[in-house]
Amino acid sequence: MALSNKTQLYHNLLLQLRSLLEVERDAIANMANTAAVLYNTLPDINWAGFYLLKDGGLVLGPFQGKPACVRIALGKGVCGTAAAQQCTQRVADVHAFAGHIACDAASRSEIVVPLLQGGRVWGVLDIDSPLLNRFDETDQQFLEQAAALFLEHSQL
């Protein structure tokens, strides 16, 4: 996808997301709508959703896609690494990522954005693709904006 087309797609996605999130404060409802918008708008993805920090690990939250791993330890897999390091993980080939947790064998690349509030991790936004190297810096920039928009409008 051309950069200008990708940028326009994300601008439209963020407008749609803002219109859904600004009228609701419930975090579960906002996670569900955010996952649905991402899953149904972004091309070439096969999973989009949230993991929430509970009892020292990540627990599956609202998502779109095939059934997923329910619990992920901090520091394990792409999601656990993003949460532990408190920074976005963009992985071109999940099979080359040490400690990758294969919830869906079709997933080949992944991006995970940590959800930070007050300096602590609240959870992660996780998006998978069946294509190698699906996510680039533009995706990261806009998905971090989508995560920030979710945090801004959700009561955690």
Side-chain angles (χ1 to χ4, degrees):
M1 176 184 297
L3 181 59
S4 63
N5 291 344
K6 181 184 274 194
T7 300
Q8 188 60 50
L9 176 125
Y10 273 114
H11 281 298
N12 292 339
L13 181 150
L14 290 173
L15 285 172
Q16 181 182 10
L17 200 53
R18 181 177 299 282
S19 70
L20 288 168
L21 298 178
E22 68 187 3
V23 298
E24 181 57 56
R25 300 294 295 167
D26 184 82
I28 300 293
N30 286 344
M31 281 185 279
N33 271 335
T34 299
V37 167
L38 293 170
Y39 186 81
N40 289 293
T41 303
L42 296 177
D44 303 317
I45 66 166
N46 60 332
W47 201 91
F50 292 85
Y51 280 91
L52 313 174
L53 186 64
K54 292 185 178 183
D55 301 324
L58 296 171
V59 179
L60 182 64
F63 70 93
Q64 297 277 310
K66 291 183 180 181
C69 301
V70 175
R71 293 188 181 271
I72 299 173
L74 288 180
K76 302 294 181 186
V78 181
C79 289
T81 299
Q85 294 182 1
Q86 297 188 8
C87 65
T88 298
Q89 300 292 306
R90 194 173 75 229
V91 179
D93 180 356
V94 295
H95 300 295
F97 186 88
H100 171 66
I101 302 167
C103 297
D104 181 353
S107 293
R108 299 296 306 273
S109 61
E110 185 171 6
I111 187 166
V112 180
V113 178
L115 302 170
L116 302 170
Q117 191 167 59
R120 70 174 198 84
V121 174
W122 184 82
V124 299
L125 170 62
D126 178 22
I127 304 172
D128 295 358
S129 173
L131 303 179
L132 282 173
N133 203 26
R134 161 62 181 83
F135 305 103
D136 61 16
E137 290 177 12
T138 300
D139 294 294
Q140 181 173 339
Q141 173 192 352
F142 282 105
L143 292 170
E144 287 173 348
Q145 288 179 42
L149 193 60
F150 163 78
L151 287 167
E152 175 188 340
H153 291 287
S154 299
Q155 188 171 14
L156 308 177

mmCIF file of all heavy atoms in Angstrom, residues 6 10 78-79 81-82 85 87-94 97 108-114 125-127 133-144:
data_model
loop_
_atom_site.group_PDB
_atom_site.id
_atom_site.type_symbol
_atom_site.label_atom_id
_atom_site.label_comp_id
_atom_site.label_asym_id
_atom_site.label_seq_id
_atom_site.Cartn_x
_atom_site.Cartn_y
_atom_site.Cartn_z
ATOM 1 N N LYS A 6 -1.934 4.678 2.879
ATOM 2 C CA LYS A 6 -1.878 4.155 4.241
ATOM 3 C C LYS A 6 -2.154 5.262 5.249
ATOM 4 O O LYS A 6 -2.904 5.077 6.205
ATOM 5 C CB LYS A 6 -0.522 3.503 4.523
ATOM 6 C CG LYS A 6 -0.418 2.916 5.930
ATOM 7 C CD LYS A 6 0.954 2.358 6.219
ATOM 8 C CE LYS A 6 1.021 0.945 5.732
ATOM 9 N NZ LYS A 6 2.211 0.231 6.277
ATOM 10 N N TYR A 10 -5.321 5.426 7.894
ATOM 11 C CA TYR A 10 -5.182 5.608 9.336
ATOM 12 C C TYR A 10 -5.877 6.873 9.826
ATOM 13 O O TYR A 10 -6.463 6.880 10.905
ATOM 14 C CB TYR A 10 -3.716 5.602 9.755
ATOM 15 C CG TYR A 10 -3.177 4.217 10.027
ATOM 16 C CD1 TYR A 10 -2.195 3.659 9.214
ATOM 17 C CD2 TYR A 10 -3.649 3.462 11.099
ATOM 18 C CE1 TYR A 10 -1.693 2.399 9.466
ATOM 19 C CE2 TYR A 10 -3.152 2.200 11.358
ATOM 20 C CZ TYR A 10 -2.176 1.667 10.541
ATOM 21 O OH TYR A 10 -1.686 0.414 10.801
ATOM 22 N N VAL A 78 5.841 -11.777 22.372
ATOM 23 C CA VAL A 78 5.890 -10.380 21.943
ATOM 24 C C VAL A 78 5.075 -9.510 22.898
ATOM 25 O O VAL A 78 5.506 -8.434 23.304
ATOM 26 C CB VAL A 78 5.409 -10.237 20.485
ATOM 27 C CG1 VAL A 78 5.491 -8.785 20.024
ATOM 28 C CG2 VAL A 78 6.215 -11.133 19.545
ATOM 29 N N CYS A 79 3.894 -9.997 23.301
ATOM 30 C CA CYS A 79 3.043 -9.217 24.213
ATOM 31 C C CYS A 79 3.695 -9.024 25.572
ATOM 32 O O CYS A 79 3.727 -7.908 26.107
ATOM 33 C CB CYS A 79 1.679 -9.889 24.382
ATOM 34 S SG CYS A 79 0.640 -9.786 22.922
ATOM 35 N N THR A 81 6.807 -9.168 26.305
ATOM 36 C CA THR A 81 8.003 -8.342 26.159
ATOM 37 C C THR A 81 7.624 -6.864 26.076
ATOM 38 O O THR A 81 8.252 -6.014 26.724
ATOM 39 C CB THR A 81 8.814 -8.772 24.918
ATOM 40 O OG1 THR A 81 9.210 -10.141 25.094
ATOM 41 C CG2 THR A 81 10.043 -7.900 24.714
ATOM 42 N N ALA A 82 6.587 -6.546 25.289
ATOM 43 C CA ALA A 82 6.136 -5.144 25.182
ATOM 44 C C ALA A 82 5.716 -4.611 26.542
ATOM 45 O O ALA A 82 6.035 -3.474 26.898
ATOM 46 C CB ALA A 82 4.983 -5.035 24.183
ATOM 47 N N GLN A 85 8.971 -4.326 28.877
ATOM 48 C CA GLN A 85 9.898 -3.266 28.462
ATOM 49 C C GLN A 85 9.214 -1.913 28.307
ATOM 50 O O GLN A 85 9.878 -0.905 28.088
ATOM 51 C CB GLN A 85 10.589 -3.662 27.163
ATOM 52 C CG GLN A 85 11.495 -4.856 27.317
ATOM 53 C CD GLN A 85 12.211 -5.225 26.028
ATOM 54 O OE1 GLN A 85 12.073 -4.590 24.988
ATOM 55 N NE2 GLN A 85 12.999 -6.282 26.088
ATOM 56 N N CYS A 87 7.574 -0.681 25.874
ATOM 57 C CA CYS A 87 7.767 -0.054 24.563
ATOM 58 C C CYS A 87 7.196 -0.964 23.481
ATOM 59 O O CYS A 87 7.123 -2.179 23.644
ATOM 60 C CB CYS A 87 9.236 0.262 24.294
ATOM 61 S SG CYS A 87 10.303 -1.161 24.157
ATOM 62 N N THR A 88 6.803 -0.328 22.395
ATOM 63 C CA THR A 88 6.199 -1.048 21.277
ATOM 64 C C THR A 88 7.174 -2.065 20.712
ATOM 65 O O THR A 88 8.365 -1.779 20.543
ATOM 66 C CB THR A 88 5.762 -0.050 20.182
ATOM 67 O OG1 THR A 88 4.785 0.834 20.728
ATOM 68 C CG2 THR A 88 5.174 -0.769 18.981
ATOM 69 N N GLN A 89 6.646 -3.236 20.413
ATOM 70 C CA GLN A 89 7.415 -4.295 19.765
ATOM 71 C C GLN A 89 6.843 -4.491 18.363
ATOM 72 O O GLN A 89 5.660 -4.784 18.208
ATOM 73 C CB GLN A 89 7.304 -5.610 20.544
ATOM 74 C CG GLN A 89 7.810 -5.542 21.965
ATOM 75 C CD GLN A 89 9.309 -5.345 22.022
ATOM 76 O OE1 GLN A 89 10.071 -6.104 21.438
ATOM 77 N NE2 GLN A 89 9.734 -4.308 22.730
ATOM 78 N N ARG A 90 7.675 -4.312 17.356
ATOM 79 C CA ARG A 90 7.283 -4.525 15.965
ATOM 80 C C ARG A 90 8.148 -5.657 15.434
ATOM 81 O O ARG A 90 9.363 -5.512 15.310
ATOM 82 C CB ARG A 90 7.492 -3.236 15.160
ATOM 83 C CG ARG A 90 6.819 -3.255 13.812
ATOM 84 C CD ARG A 90 6.913 -1.911 13.121
ATOM 85 N NE ARG A 90 8.256 -1.684 12.610
ATOM 86 C CZ ARG A 90 8.961 -0.577 12.794
ATOM 87 N NH1 ARG A 90 8.466 0.425 13.483
ATOM 88 N NH2 ARG A 90 10.175 -0.464 12.286
ATOM 89 N N VAL A 91 7.527 -6.790 15.149
ATOM 90 C CA VAL A 91 8.267 -8.001 14.806
ATOM 91 C C VAL A 91 7.949 -8.412 13.366
ATOM 92 O O VAL A 91 6.804 -8.729 13.050
ATOM 93 C CB VAL A 91 7.922 -9.141 15.790
ATOM 94 C CG1 VAL A 91 8.673 -10.407 15.429
ATOM 95 C CG2 VAL A 91 8.229 -8.711 17.218
ATOM 96 N N ALA A 92 8.963 -8.383 12.511
ATOM 97 C CA ALA A 92 8.789 -8.702 11.087
ATOM 98 C C ALA A 92 8.481 -10.176 10.861
ATOM 99 O O ALA A 92 7.703 -10.533 9.978
ATOM 100 C CB ALA A 92 10.036 -8.299 10.304
ATOM 101 N N ASP A 93 9.097 -11.056 11.662
ATOM 102 C CA ASP A 93 8.905 -12.506 11.528
ATOM 103 C C ASP A 93 8.811 -13.093 12.938
ATOM 104 O O ASP A 93 9.820 -13.232 13.626
ATOM 105 C CB ASP A 93 10.070 -13.127 10.763
ATOM 106 C CG ASP A 93 9.932 -14.634 10.581
ATOM 107 O OD1 ASP A 93 8.972 -15.243 11.104
ATOM 108 O OD2 ASP A 93 10.800 -15.213 9.901
ATOM 109 N N VAL A 94 7.592 -13.431 13.346
ATOM 110 C CA VAL A 94 7.406 -13.923 14.716
ATOM 111 C C VAL A 94 8.150 -15.227 14.972
ATOM 112 O O VAL A 94 8.519 -15.514 16.100
ATOM 113 C CB VAL A 94 5.911 -14.075 15.078
ATOM 114 C CG1 VAL A 94 5.215 -12.727 15.092
ATOM 115 C CG2 VAL A 94 5.202 -15.056 14.170
ATOM 116 N N PHE A 97 11.437 -14.565 16.465
ATOM 117 C CA PHE A 97 11.428 -13.875 17.758
ATOM 118 C C PHE A 97 11.605 -14.912 18.868
ATOM 119 O O PHE A 97 10.790 -15.818 19.022
ATOM 120 C CB PHE A 97 10.100 -13.131 17.936
ATOM 121 C CG PHE A 97 10.037 -12.262 19.164
ATOM 122 C CD1 PHE A 97 10.479 -10.948 19.120
ATOM 123 C CD2 PHE A 97 9.530 -12.756 20.364
ATOM 124 C CE1 PHE A 97 10.426 -10.138 20.246
ATOM 125 C CE2 PHE A 97 9.470 -11.959 21.490
ATOM 126 C CZ PHE A 97 9.920 -10.649 21.427
ATOM 127 N N ARG A 108 2.371 -14.378 11.066
ATOM 128 C CA ARG A 108 3.770 -14.316 10.666
ATOM 129 C C ARG A 108 4.473 -13.070 11.191
ATOM 130 O O ARG A 108 5.675 -13.073 11.396
ATOM 131 C CB ARG A 108 3.893 -14.343 9.137
ATOM 132 C CG ARG A 108 3.337 -15.592 8.472
ATOM 133 C CD ARG A 108 4.072 -16.862 8.841
ATOM 134 N NE ARG A 108 5.488 -16.840 8.636
ATOM 135 C CZ ARG A 108 6.117 -17.136 7.513
ATOM 136 N NH1 ARG A 108 5.445 -17.495 6.465
ATOM 137 N NH2 ARG A 108 7.417 -17.082 7.447
ATOM 138 N N SER A 109 3.717 -11.956 11.350
ATOM 139 C CA SER A 109 4.309 -10.727 11.904
ATOM 140 C C SER A 109 3.343 -10.160 12.929
ATOM 141 O O SER A 109 2.155 -10.519 12.956
ATOM 142 C CB SER A 109 4.627 -9.713 10.807
ATOM 143 O OG SER A 109 3.478 -9.322 10.104
ATOM 144 N N GLU A 110 3.870 -9.261 13.773
ATOM 145 C CA GLU A 110 3.065 -8.788 14.907
ATOM 146 C C GLU A 110 3.561 -7.416 15.356
ATOM 147 O O GLU A 110 4.742 -7.111 15.242
ATOM 148 C CB GLU A 110 3.208 -9.797 16.051
ATOM 149 C CG GLU A 110 2.376 -9.554 17.266
ATOM 150 C CD GLU A 110 2.428 -10.722 18.261
ATOM 151 O OE1 GLU A 110 3.216 -11.676 18.049
ATOM 152 O OE2 GLU A 110 1.684 -10.654 19.243
ATOM 153 N N ILE A 111 2.631 -6.626 15.860
ATOM 154 C CA ILE A 111 2.968 -5.366 16.511
ATOM 155 C C ILE A 111 2.188 -5.303 17.811
ATOM 156 O O ILE A 111 0.995 -5.644 17.843
ATOM 157 C CB ILE A 111 2.703 -4.138 15.615
ATOM 158 C CG1 ILE A 111 3.239 -2.860 16.280
ATOM 159 C CG2 ILE A 111 1.241 -4.035 15.224
ATOM 160 C CD1 ILE A 111 3.334 -1.678 15.339
ATOM 161 N N VAL A 112 2.871 -4.933 18.881
ATOM 162 C CA VAL A 112 2.250 -4.848 20.200
ATOM 163 C C VAL A 112 2.603 -3.488 20.811
ATOM 164 O O VAL A 112 3.780 -3.149 20.935
ATOM 165 C CB VAL A 112 2.713 -5.988 21.131
ATOM 166 C CG1 VAL A 112 2.048 -5.867 22.498
ATOM 167 C CG2 VAL A 112 2.418 -7.348 20.508
ATOM 168 N N VAL A 113 1.549 -2.750 21.168
ATOM 169 C CA VAL A 113 1.715 -1.421 21.762
ATOM 170 C C VAL A 113 1.333 -1.508 23.237
ATOM 171 O O VAL A 113 0.195 -1.883 23.556
ATOM 172 C CB VAL A 113 0.811 -0.390 21.051
ATOM 173 C CG1 VAL A 113 0.950 0.988 21.696
ATOM 174 C CG2 VAL A 113 1.121 -0.339 19.555
ATOM 175 N N PRO A 114 2.249 -1.174 24.156
ATOM 176 C CA PRO A 114 1.882 -1.192 25.570
ATOM 177 C C PRO A 114 0.936 -0.036 25.889
ATOM 178 O O PRO A 114 1.044 1.045 25.309
ATOM 179 C CB PRO A 114 3.218 -1.021 26.292
ATOM 180 C CG PRO A 114 4.083 -0.318 25.310
ATOM 181 C CD PRO A 114 3.634 -0.751 23.947
ATOM 182 N N LEU A 125 -2.049 -3.534 23.369
ATOM 183 C CA LEU A 125 -2.822 -3.675 22.141
ATOM 184 C C LEU A 125 -1.977 -4.540 21.219
ATOM 185 O O LEU A 125 -0.813 -4.208 20.954
ATOM 186 C CB LEU A 125 -3.082 -2.297 21.514
ATOM 187 C CG LEU A 125 -3.667 -2.286 20.101
ATOM 188 C CD1 LEU A 125 -5.039 -2.954 20.076
ATOM 189 C CD2 LEU A 125 -3.741 -0.857 19.570
ATOM 190 N N ASP A 126 -2.549 -5.634 20.725
ATOM 191 C CA ASP A 126 -1.818 -6.631 19.955
ATOM 192 C C ASP A 126 -2.493 -6.800 18.594
ATOM 193 O O ASP A 126 -3.711 -6.966 18.524
ATOM 194 C CB ASP A 126 -1.832 -7.958 20.732
ATOM 195 C CG ASP A 126 -1.134 -9.093 20.016
ATOM 196 O OD1 ASP A 126 -0.285 -8.851 19.148
ATOM 197 O OD2 ASP A 126 -1.459 -10.261 20.337
ATOM 198 N N ILE A 127 -1.686 -6.748 17.529
ATOM 199 C CA ILE A 127 -2.208 -6.966 16.182
ATOM 200 C C ILE A 127 -1.278 -7.928 15.450
ATOM 201 O O ILE A 127 -0.058 -7.736 15.433
ATOM 202 C CB ILE A 127 -2.344 -5.641 15.398
ATOM 203 C CG1 ILE A 127 -3.233 -4.677 16.191
ATOM 204 C CG2 ILE A 127 -2.934 -5.891 14.010
ATOM 205 C CD1 ILE A 127 -3.296 -3.300 15.627
ATOM 206 N N ASN A 133 6.670 -9.198 7.740
ATOM 207 C CA ASN A 133 7.029 -7.788 7.695
ATOM 208 C C ASN A 133 5.845 -6.883 7.331
ATOM 209 O O ASN A 133 5.994 -5.936 6.567
ATOM 210 C CB ASN A 133 8.192 -7.573 6.710
ATOM 211 C CG ASN A 133 8.959 -6.312 7.001
ATOM 212 O OD1 ASN A 133 8.986 -5.824 8.123
ATOM 213 N ND2 ASN A 133 9.586 -5.769 5.982
ATOM 214 N N ARG A 134 4.670 -7.176 7.880
ATOM 215 C CA ARG A 134 3.454 -6.414 7.563
ATOM 216 C C ARG A 134 3.478 -5.007 8.155
ATOM 217 O O ARG A 134 2.912 -4.077 7.580
ATOM 218 C CB ARG A 134 2.238 -7.197 8.089
ATOM 219 C CG ARG A 134 0.945 -6.432 8.282
ATOM 220 C CD ARG A 134 0.406 -5.853 7.002
ATOM 221 N NE ARG A 134 -0.813 -5.107 7.232
ATOM 222 C CZ ARG A 134 -0.877 -3.839 7.654
ATOM 223 N NH1 ARG A 134 0.226 -3.164 7.926
ATOM 224 N NH2 ARG A 134 -2.044 -3.246 7.821
ATOM 225 N N PHE A 135 4.108 -4.809 9.299
ATOM 226 C CA PHE A 135 4.032 -3.549 10.034
ATOM 227 C C PHE A 135 5.313 -2.731 9.873
ATOM 228 O O PHE A 135 6.417 -3.254 10.021
ATOM 229 C CB PHE A 135 3.748 -3.820 11.508
ATOM 230 C CG PHE A 135 2.519 -4.658 11.704
ATOM 231 C CD1 PHE A 135 2.620 -6.010 12.006
ATOM 232 C CD2 PHE A 135 1.253 -4.111 11.554
ATOM 233 C CE1 PHE A 135 1.486 -6.798 12.176
ATOM 234 C CE2 PHE A 135 0.107 -4.885 11.714
ATOM 235 C CZ PHE A 135 0.224 -6.233 12.020
ATOM 236 N N ASP A 136 5.141 -1.431 9.591
ATOM 237 C CA ASP A 136 6.284 -0.548 9.433
ATOM 238 C C ASP A 136 6.169 0.623 10.408
ATOM 239 O O ASP A 136 5.293 0.626 11.287
ATOM 240 C CB ASP A 136 6.416 -0.071 7.987
ATOM 241 C CG ASP A 136 5.201 0.717 7.509
ATOM 242 O OD1 ASP A 136 4.379 1.177 8.331
ATOM 243 O OD2 ASP A 136 5.073 0.888 6.275
ATOM 244 N N GLU A 137 7.040 1.609 10.251
ATOM 245 C CA GLU A 137 7.042 2.759 11.157
ATOM 246 C C GLU A 137 5.732 3.540 11.098
ATOM 247 O O GLU A 137 5.279 4.070 12.110
ATOM 248 C CB GLU A 137 8.222 3.678 10.831
ATOM 249 C CG GLU A 137 9.558 3.083 11.204
ATOM 250 C CD GLU A 137 10.730 3.982 10.811
ATOM 251 O OE1 GLU A 137 10.511 5.153 10.459
ATOM 252 O OE2 GLU A 137 11.865 3.481 10.872
ATOM 253 N N THR A 138 5.125 3.615 9.918
ATOM 254 C CA THR A 138 3.842 4.317 9.783
ATOM 255 C C THR A 138 2.763 3.604 10.586
ATOM 256 O O THR A 138 2.005 4.244 11.319
ATOM 257 C CB THR A 138 3.437 4.420 8.302
ATOM 258 O OG1 THR A 138 4.456 5.137 7.597
ATOM 259 C CG2 THR A 138 2.095 5.126 8.141
ATOM 260 N N ASP A 139 2.710 2.278 10.468
ATOM 261 C CA ASP A 139 1.749 1.509 11.269
ATOM 262 C C ASP A 139 1.991 1.764 12.746
ATOM 263 O O ASP A 139 1.053 2.004 13.503
ATOM 264 C CB ASP A 139 1.879 0.006 10.980
ATOM 265 C CG ASP A 139 1.479 -0.363 9.571
ATOM 266 O OD1 ASP A 139 0.293 -0.232 9.222
ATOM 267 O OD2 ASP A 139 2.376 -0.788 8.815
ATOM 268 N N GLN A 140 3.244 1.699 13.164
ATOM 269 C CA GLN A 140 3.572 1.902 14.581
ATOM 270 C C GLN A 140 3.111 3.273 15.056
ATOM 271 O O GLN A 140 2.476 3.393 16.115
ATOM 272 C CB GLN A 140 5.064 1.731 14.816
ATOM 273 C CG GLN A 140 5.445 1.909 16.281
ATOM 274 C CD GLN A 140 6.899 1.572 16.548
ATOM 275 O OE1 GLN A 140 7.547 0.864 15.775
ATOM 276 N NE2 GLN A 140 7.430 2.082 17.648
ATOM 277 N N GLN A 141 3.413 4.304 14.300
ATOM 278 C CA GLN A 141 3.033 5.659 14.679
ATOM 279 C C GLN A 141 1.517 5.771 14.868
ATOM 280 O O GLN A 141 1.047 6.297 15.883
ATOM 281 C CB GLN A 141 3.496 6.637 13.603
ATOM 282 C CG GLN A 141 3.011 8.049 13.815
ATOM 283 C CD GLN A 141 3.251 8.929 12.588
ATOM 284 O OE1 GLN A 141 3.910 8.535 11.626
ATOM 285 N NE2 GLN A 141 2.709 10.112 12.626
ATOM 286 N N PHE A 142 0.746 5.285 13.919
ATOM 287 C CA PHE A 142 -0.707 5.427 13.995
ATOM 288 C C PHE A 142 -1.338 4.485 15.012
ATOM 289 O O PHE A 142 -2.327 4.844 15.662
ATOM 290 C CB PHE A 142 -1.341 5.268 12.613
ATOM 291 C CG PHE A 142 -1.203 6.494 11.767
ATOM 292 C CD1 PHE A 142 -0.284 6.533 10.729
ATOM 293 C CD2 PHE A 142 -1.973 7.621 12.013
ATOM 294 C CE1 PHE A 142 -0.142 7.667 9.944
ATOM 295 C CE2 PHE A 142 -1.837 8.765 11.244
ATOM 296 C CZ PHE A 142 -0.925 8.789 10.204
ATOM 297 N N LEU A 143 -0.774 3.301 15.182
ATOM 298 C CA LEU A 143 -1.324 2.390 16.193
ATOM 299 C C LEU A 143 -1.022 2.896 17.599
ATOM 300 O O LEU A 143 -1.832 2.706 18.509
ATOM 301 C CB LEU A 143 -0.823 0.966 15.963
ATOM 302 C CG LEU A 143 -1.382 0.329 14.693
ATOM 303 C CD1 LEU A 143 -0.675 -0.984 14.388
ATOM 304 C CD2 LEU A 143 -2.893 0.121 14.806
ATOM 305 N N GLU A 144 0.109 3.545 17.782
ATOM 306 C CA GLU A 144 0.383 4.183 19.073
ATOM 307 C C GLU A 144 -0.608 5.322 19.316
ATOM 308 O O GLU A 144 -1.060 5.528 20.443
ATOM 309 C CB GLU A 144 1.835 4.658 19.131
ATOM 310 C CG GLU A 144 2.814 3.500 19.285
ATOM 311 C CD GLU A 144 4.278 3.893 19.186
ATOM 312 O OE1 GLU A 144 4.586 5.038 18.769
ATOM 313 O OE2 GLU A 144 5.135 3.042 19.510
#
